Amino acid sequence: MNPPELSDVDALIADFVQVVERGQPPDPEELLAQHPAHAAELALFLRDLHQFGSFLGLSMHASELTTDFRPPGVPLAHPAAETPGERFGEYDLIEVIGQRGDGQGVPRSLAGTNLAVALRQVQPGSLGAAEAARRLREEVANAAQLNHPNLNAPRPGTDRAPPGYVILVHEAFTRGERSVPYPAGAPGRVLPYDR
Amino acid sequence: MGALEANEVGDHGDPLALEWFRSYLCALARIQFAARPWLAAKLDASDIVHETLLKALAAREQFRSGTPAEMAAWLRQVLTRTLANELRALGQQKHDAGAERSLEADLDASSWRLDDWLAADQSTPSEQVGRHERATALAAAVSALPPEQQEVVLLKHCHGLTLAEIAARLGRTPASVAGLLRRGLERLRKLLIEDNMP
């Protein structure tokens, strides 16, 4: 088999995709204008990216969530303090774990199921959504030393977030167990789920 | 999940409500099978989904109430456990929690992106009736990609790797990976739209 055909177009596309991955606002029109000799091929790729970008996690609108719009030196605002027992969207708050620069961490139960979740509200701009998800996943696994077969990766829950926030949740399916391991500060700590 | 609107399914204990998710689960399973060719050689995605729906029906008391999106999330959990059980039955004598977490993470990431893709549908409501069938068609189209293009698309879709990370993993340059991605998306378009792949 012949090696894949490499072209200037592919180098341009590589640069463009990496801009999108960094969460920077891409400018397709500028790309086409700067490279008129490849405009037709680039336009086809941009059309395909528009069609399938969300399937690949390469939304060209991702910058709305991942770009830091804060002026230098301006700290993040935090959502209003919540109290255990409070209902928040589809979640029941169990306990506030802590509040740090990149958001507020709380364990919650997912209403209507026996799912328990570790949840973090992340203000857009504090971290890229993908990076925040990766960090939450690592923190959950490391802090609680979890080895739970039903542990899921975090997922963004943007539909229930307060204005300006992205919710990341880490689900552990209890399957009828009475307790669920949680990243509650101390390694290996188990947070009772008996509410 | 944007692709699943409220009131689209009825009583969650109703087998017909579960059946409504079959195409969606098939799409997720087929994408995972495409990412794991050795698995596809031994198992059939539609059989796994059928078993998943039977288990869900038997265990429907676990899902007390909720929206269709929550039901889809629960069904993904059942699908993951069904797949994990099959993995063990295929000769993995030891419980491999790491492999199962990887499977779960891949399924989750895959489902978010598939949902995003379906939610981004610009068609009219009447044209959106077959959204889950579109997911199935997309999964079939991905499975039909040439291997190198498919690998790049799935590393992006399932694992969320960056172009640089994919390049490092495959021992290619980012431009080479971008070329595979470009041709992969072009092929997907032709399969799904121009060839009207069912």
Side-chain angles (χ1 to χ4, degrees):
Chain A
M1 175 184 292
N2 293 326
E5 178 187 349
L6 287 178
S7 69
D8 292 342
V9 172
D10 294 335
L12 295 172
I13 287 173
D15 290 343
F16 184 84
V17 167
Q18 287 173 315
V19 166
V20 176
E21 288 174 341
R22 287 195 293 269
Q24 297 170 357
D27 190 339
E29 291 185 4
E30 183 181 348
L31 177 72
L32 298 177
Q34 287 179 344
H35 305 284
H38 302 298
E41 291 167 288
L42 290 171
L44 273 181
F45 172 76
L46 290 170
R47 190 180 81 167
D48 290 340
L49 192 60
H50 179 75
Q51 179 79 25
F52 298 108
S54 52
F55 179 71
L56 298 173
L58 271 178
S59 170
M60 284 193 280
H61 302 294
S63 57
E64 291 174 13
L65 286 179
T66 57
T67 302
D68 191 342
F69 293 112
R70 284 178 298 140
V74 175
L76 284 168
H78 289 292
E82 298 172 280
T83 53
E86 183 177 336
R87 185 71 180 270
F88 181 80
E90 61 192 321
Y91 301 100
D92 294 322
L93 175 62
I94 298 173
E95 175 188 334
V96 175
I97 296 173
Q99 190 161 296
R100 301 192 315 184
D102 59 350
Q104 183 184 48
V106 293
R108 297 168 190 267
S109 64
L110 181 57
T113 73
N114 57 353
L115 287 171
V117 304
L119 180 149
R120 171 173 296 166
Q121 294 163 226
V122 181
Q123 190 177 43
S126 59
L127 289 169
E131 174 64 11
R134 187 188 67 77
R135 286 191 186 186
L136 178 59
R137 184 186 301 124
E138 282 187 2
E139 287 172 16
V140 169
N142 293 337
Q145 297 178 346
L146 291 182
N147 192 23
H148 196 294
N150 296 310
L151 192 67
N152 284 334
R155 62 181 171 85
T158 53
D159 54 339
R160 302 285 182 170
Y165 282 81
V166 173
I167 293 178
L168 302 168
V169 297
H170 202 114
E171 299 174 343
F173 196 51
T174 65
R175 303 176 71 180
E177 298 161 5
R178 299 296 294 172
S179 64
V180 179
Y182 257 121
R189 174 179 170 185
V190 173
L191 177 73
Y193 186 56
D194 185 8
R195 295 188 299 123
Chain B
M1 180 168 54
L4 299 174
E5 304 299 336
N7 303 321
E8 282 186 323
V9 296
D11 178 4
H12 297 136
D14 182 352
L16 290 177
L18 288 173
E19 187 64 30
W20 192 77
F21 292 90
R22 182 183 292 272
S23 297
Y24 172 73
L25 293 172
C26 270
L28 285 176
R30 283 179 179 145
I31 289 170
Q32 294 307 311
F33 276 46
R36 297 170 171 80
W38 56 271
L39 194 60
K42 296 179 178 177
L43 297 171
D44 184 83
S46 57
D47 288 346
I48 294 293
V49 170
H50 189 68
E51 188 178 342
T52 296
L53 291 174
L54 288 176
K55 285 181 178 176
L57 187 61
R60 60 187 179 276
E61 292 78 14
Q62 286 182 8
F63 190 81
R64 297 196 299 267
S65 65
T67 66
E70 291 167 348
M71 189 176 189
W74 175 65
L75 287 171
R76 283 199 302 274
Q77 295 275 355
V78 181
L79 173 64
T80 302
R81 290 201 300 277
T82 304
L83 265 173
N85 288 340
E86 292 294 339
L87 284 176
R88 280 199 291 275
L90 282 173
Q92 295 185 13
Q93 297 297 324
K94 290 184 178 179
H95 173 71
D96 188 345
E100 290 180 18
R101 278 201 302 276
S102 169
L103 182 66
E104 287 186 3
D106 285 358
L107 259 172
D108 263 7
S110 182
S111 66
W112 309 333
R113 295 188 176 116
L114 193 59
D115 294 344
D116 284 348
W117 183 72
L118 291 169
D121 189 352
Q122 300 294 313
S123 57
T124 65
S126 61
E127 292 170 335
Q128 293 173 8
V129 171
R131 276 180 165 183
H132 286 187
E133 284 64 35
R134 288 186 63 228
T136 304
L138 179 59
V142 169
S143 299
L145 288 176
E148 291 177 321
Q149 295 171 19
Q150 184 188 82
E151 186 172 25
V152 169
V153 167
L154 288 174
L155 285 172
K156 199 77 188 147
H157 169 76
C158 291
H159 303 294
L161 298 186
T162 65
L163 205 66
E165 289 168 338
I166 296 172
R169 177 177 288 201
L170 302 182
R172 293 176 176 273
T173 64
S176 168
V177 173
L180 288 170
L181 190 63
R182 173 172 65 86
R183 290 189 292 278
L185 296 187
E186 181 182 5
R187 183 76 184 135
L188 280 182
R189 165 168 46 86
K190 288 179 176 174
L191 286 168
L192 274 173
I193 300 170
E194 298 175 8
D195 292 351
N196 196 24
M197 190 171 184

